[in-house]
Amino acid sequence: MRTTNYLLSTQKEAPSDAVIASHQLMLRAGMIRKLASGLYTWLPTGLRVLRKVERIVREEMERAGSVEISMPVVQPADLWQESGRWDKFGGELLRIKDRHNRDFVLGPTHEEVITELVRKEVNSYKQLPLNLFQIQTKFRDETRPRFGVMRTREFIMKDAYTFHLDQECLEKTYQIMFDAYCRIFDRLGLEYRAVIADTGSIGGSASHEFHVLAQSGEDAIVFSDQSDYAANIEKAEAVSPQVELAAATAEMELVDTPNAKTIAELVSEHNIAIEKTVKTLIVKASEESESDLVALIIRGDHELNEIKAENLAEVASPLTFAHESEIRELVKAGPGSLGPVSLPMPFIVDRSVAVMSDFSAGANIDNKHYFNINWNRDVELGQVADLRNVVEGDLSPCGKGRLSIARGIEVGHIFQLGDTYAQAMNAAVLNQQGKNQVMTMGCYGVGISRIVAAAIEQSNDKNGIIWNDVIAPFTVVIVPMNMKKSHRVADLAEQYYAELQAAGIEVLLDDRKERPGIMFADAELIGIPHTLVIGDRSIDNGVIEYKNRASGEKEEVKIEEVIAFIK
Ligand code: ATP
Ligand code: MG
Ligand code: MG
Ligand code: MG
């Protein structure tokens, strides 16, 4: 690809509503553009990465014995009525009508459609097990689309569905799919964990989520450092009271909030409860100083604009905080030390704080995010710790090791569904005895588009994205210096361009009339793993300059050895 034929679309700045690295960088690197809330166009650079993720997922599905199909995005409502989910699914299900006033949905998932297909196509146990997948668009009318393609309304999912005569067979296939998921995330070069997940409202007997570890993750996962135990926080909490605090973190809602927002705005926008019985605690830390922590406690029985410093002393004393000492100092200083707290005020935050007991709390991380925590359980006072990385106690549900909590991005989710859908939709086969037997099902999702963002969360620096060779939009970029004036430079650039293409290596030739600084900056921002810099001076020395994006290291490579070096 030549830059002059391409839609590069890089940008210096990201809009202020992009608060996490992947969102900012995907916009700046010209990977995506927002059309409307939760709806994104994939630009060429983004699409190239998306297709690579897709290819790896497809290969591993096929290796696991899954067969590709493609089902419609638009699904008739009667199937959803039959499964019972027309009433149960709630607001994420986008319902539409056709010109005949018939009800349809935009598919958020495809259990109904696949069950409809299989109940018609399969009638004997001899056709089982059956494993089908698709890579396709889903629509979920998310309450709060955010973080770019991390949580969109329209997104690309790989979803697979398996059909079995019995549970034993399902379990075998489930293990094969579990292993395939591990291979997918290994090949993508992601740091991830498979965790036990609650089967929740979907039902069934077992479920695992796959989480890419990242501070910006919306989920919390719990794992032991001395055993294989790893669970999502809801699941861990269900089996161990030790994870009470974790449970509190799990209920955090990450709300992206530009610093300039006022508390009053936040309260009204994000519906922070200020009811009579619920108290809201907001912790404010100044940008300049780590220790300059100010607590502002809004009690349920106060109007927002009536809060005074006195109230702080009144309610703060029985509390235990992560940053308790600073709060205590304030309390000691007594009423007036803060002056009347006037609202609205800028909400500037720079660290995480956990709170306790029957409070709803606003806390913060990294000077960027605002957490609205809501919980009503009795978290033991004193167990409060940094929300980002809690290490609590010596018990885990498995009884071994220390329990750690990390934040994760859910990139995959697999389920042993059992016969929930097959039963409701009467999907049965003739068994060996010639009797009708309801099928047993599994389902297996991967968030293809979310993976692209998750990979960037794990691999970026101040200059941009750092792709590995596997999912990089291009493997090599050729940056010719002064190509328009120097024939030698132009010829060598063209030669490498042709040779690399012939060798099957994806190469971008930056043939713009731009200053080298701009070309280097774009190459780094987009995150192309290998850069070849071609200039007259180095040609005089019989070499060209190679730069590795990940390590930042530069090397001189002999002109004739370049292609072999890249390979
Ligand atoms: P989440 O908890 O993040 O809302 P989910 O549990 O609702 O996800 P699943 O029904 O398990 O999602 O779907 C399978 C996968 O699809 C998820 O693991 C995730 O990677 C991806 N996914 C789900 N919702 C979205 C979304 N709104 N935008 C992008 N990817 C999504
Ligand atoms: Mg969801
Ligand atoms: Mg989930
Ligand atoms: Mg899920």
Side-chain angles (χ1 to χ4, degrees), residues 6-271:
Y6 192 69
L7 189 62
L8 202 60
S9 288
T10 51
Q11 293 176 342
K12 273 230 160 62
E13 307 282 338
S16 63
D17 65 339
V19 290
I20 64 170
S22 59
H23 188 189
Q24 292 165 347
L25 289 171
M26 287 183 81
L27 290 167
R28 288 187 51 213
M31 293 179 68
I32 53 167
R33 284 295 176 265
K34 182 171 165 177
L35 175 66
S37 173
L39 302 174
Y40 283 85
T41 296
W42 288 82
L43 298 181
T45 305
L47 191 63
R48 291 178 76 94
V49 178
L50 188 76
R51 291 281 181 258
K52 291 193 174 173
V53 174
E54 207 176 288
R55 191 198 307 157
I56 288 174
V57 172
R58 179 175 285 112
E59 282 172 14
E60 291 305 333
M61 282 299 100
E62 288 178 346
R63 197 206 295 237
S66 197
V67 184
E68 188 164 5
I69 59 169
S70 179
M71 293 177 272
V73 178
V74 177
Q75 309 177 6
D78 21 339
L79 288 179
W80 285 73
Q81 275 146 3
E82 215 183 327
S83 74
R85 287 207 287 189
W86 177 257
D87 296 320
K88 274 190 236 150
F89 210 85
E92 272 183 31
L93 186 65
L94 187 69
R95 296 148 210 258
I96 53 175
K97 281 185 190 292
D98 71 3
R99 63 167 76 199
H100 306 295
N101 211 30
R102 284 187 290 243
D103 287 312
F104 289 84
V105 304
L106 285 191
T109 174
H110 278 72
E111 281 82 7
E112 281 79 0
V113 177
I114 193 95
T115 306
E116 154 72 6
L117 177 82
V118 171
R119 72 181 167 184
K120 290 196 168 136
E121 301 302 319
V122 175
N123 41 46
S124 161
Y125 75 94
K126 290 180 193 155
Q127 293 163 275
L128 300 180
L130 185 64
N131 186 341
L132 301 171
F133 80 99
Q134 65 173 346
I135 294 177
Q136 193 243 27
T137 298
K138 297 278 183 275
F139 193 95
R140 295 183 182 181
D141 203 354
E142 300 274 354
T143 1
R144 201 180 294 121
R146 57 194 148 167
F147 306 148
V149 296
M150 199 76 91
R151 183 173 298 284
T152 45
R153 297 197 294 171
E154 188 178 303
F155 59 98
I156 308 286
M157 197 202 286
K158 184 285 299 176
D159 45 329
Y161 305 88
T162 62
F163 293 82
H164 313 265
L165 194 62
D166 54 32
Q167 175 68 20
E168 194 190 334
C169 177
L170 167 61
E171 282 172 20
K172 262 192 215 146
T173 302
Y174 187 84
Q175 188 57 47
I176 291 169
M177 294 296 267
F178 184 99
D179 295 342
Y181 272 50
C182 294
R183 271 199 305 274
I184 289 170
F185 299 117
D186 285 339
R187 281 183 65 185
L188 290 168
L190 296 169
E191 197 190 338
Y192 70 97
R193 263 172 215 275
V195 304
I196 308 168
D198 222 341
T199 49
S201 58
I202 294 197
S205 46
S207 172
H208 286 86
E209 287 167 356
F210 289 77
H211 286 266
V212 164
L213 302 184
Q215 295 296 357
S216 58
E218 292 182 88
D219 292 321
I221 59 173
V222 178
F223 51 89
S224 161
D225 64 354
Q226 276 169 40
S227 79
D228 289 340
Y229 183 84
N232 79 8
I233 212 135
E234 295 88 347
K235 186 72 182 179
E237 191 235 350
V239 292
S240 166
Q242 291 293 320
V243 200
E244 274 288 338
L245 175 67
T249 9
E251 288 174 30
M252 290 187 313
E253 277 262 353
L254 186 56
V255 180
D256 44 324
T257 303
N259 291 341
K261 285 248 165 100
T262 64
I263 288 176
E265 280 173 331
L266 288 169
V267 166
S268 72
E269 258 179 56
H270 299 305
N271 205 12

Side-chain angles (χ1 to χ4, degrees), residues 309-527:
E310 299 89 278
N311 301 329
L312 184 63
E314 190 188 320
V315 292
S317 50
L319 308 183
T320 312
F321 283 67
H323 303 290
E324 185 181 16
S325 55
E326 292 101 328
I327 303 293
R328 293 218 183 283
E329 283 306 307
L330 277 171
V331 173
K332 250 196 313 200
S337 59
L338 271 179
V341 179
S342 62
L343 290 169
M345 60 197 285
F347 187 77
I348 302 166
V349 293
D350 75 353
R351 69 177 101 180
S352 62
V353 177
V355 212
M356 64 312 299
S357 170
D358 66 338
F359 277 77
S360 294
N364 54 77
I365 278 181
D366 295 341
N367 203 15
K368 278 183 188 148
H369 303 147
Y370 176 84
F371 287 92
N372 174 19
I373 310 165
N374 257 300
W375 76 93
N376 291 313
R377 65 196 86 207
D378 287 320
V379 177
E380 208 183 304
L381 296 188
Q383 275 203 343
V384 180
D386 189 332
L387 299 181
R388 282 176 289 197
N389 229 328
V390 187
V391 180
E392 285 294 313
D394 289 324
L395 295 167
S396 65
C398 70
K400 279 195 209 111
R402 279 167 74 80
L403 201 59
S404 302
I405 300 176
R407 301 208 65 83
I409 301 167
E410 184 192 322
V411 287
H413 197 169
I414 61 177
F415 268 95
Q416 292 182 19
L417 288 175
D419 64 3
T420 321
Y421 293 90
Q423 188 76 261
M425 296 181 63
N426 196 20
V429 289
L430 289 179
N431 65 16
Q432 265 159 313
Q433 288 74 42
K435 291 224 171 77
N436 254 339
Q437 187 168 327
V438 170
M439 285 182 269
T440 296
M441 290 171 62
C443 74
Y444 317 81
V446 168
I448 304 269
S449 42
R450 182 178 286 182
I451 283 175
V452 176
I456 297 173
E457 284 300 314
Q458 278 196 345
S459 188
N460 66 74
D461 65 14
K462 64 178 187 343
N463 297 328
I465 303 168
I466 304 171
W467 294 113
N468 57 33
D469 286 14
V470 177
I471 51 175
F474 296 95
T475 312
V476 182
V477 56
I478 300 172
V479 180
M481 321 267 278
N482 218 0
M483 190 179 181
K484 294 286 174 278
K485 290 209 183 112
S486 164
H487 281 297
R488 291 197 307 168
V489 169
D491 290 349
L492 196 55
E494 291 291 349
Q495 182 194 324
Y496 286 153
Y497 182 57
E499 286 176 3
L500 286 166
Q501 279 184 316
I505 293 167
E506 292 175 72
V507 54
L508 181 69
L509 172 60
D510 201 342
D511 57 350
R512 291 177 292 176
K513 284 185 205 154
E514 284 289 2
R515 283 184 288 118
I518 289 184
M519 297 198 276
F520 292 135
D522 278 345
E524 300 233 295
L525 174 61
I526 296 168

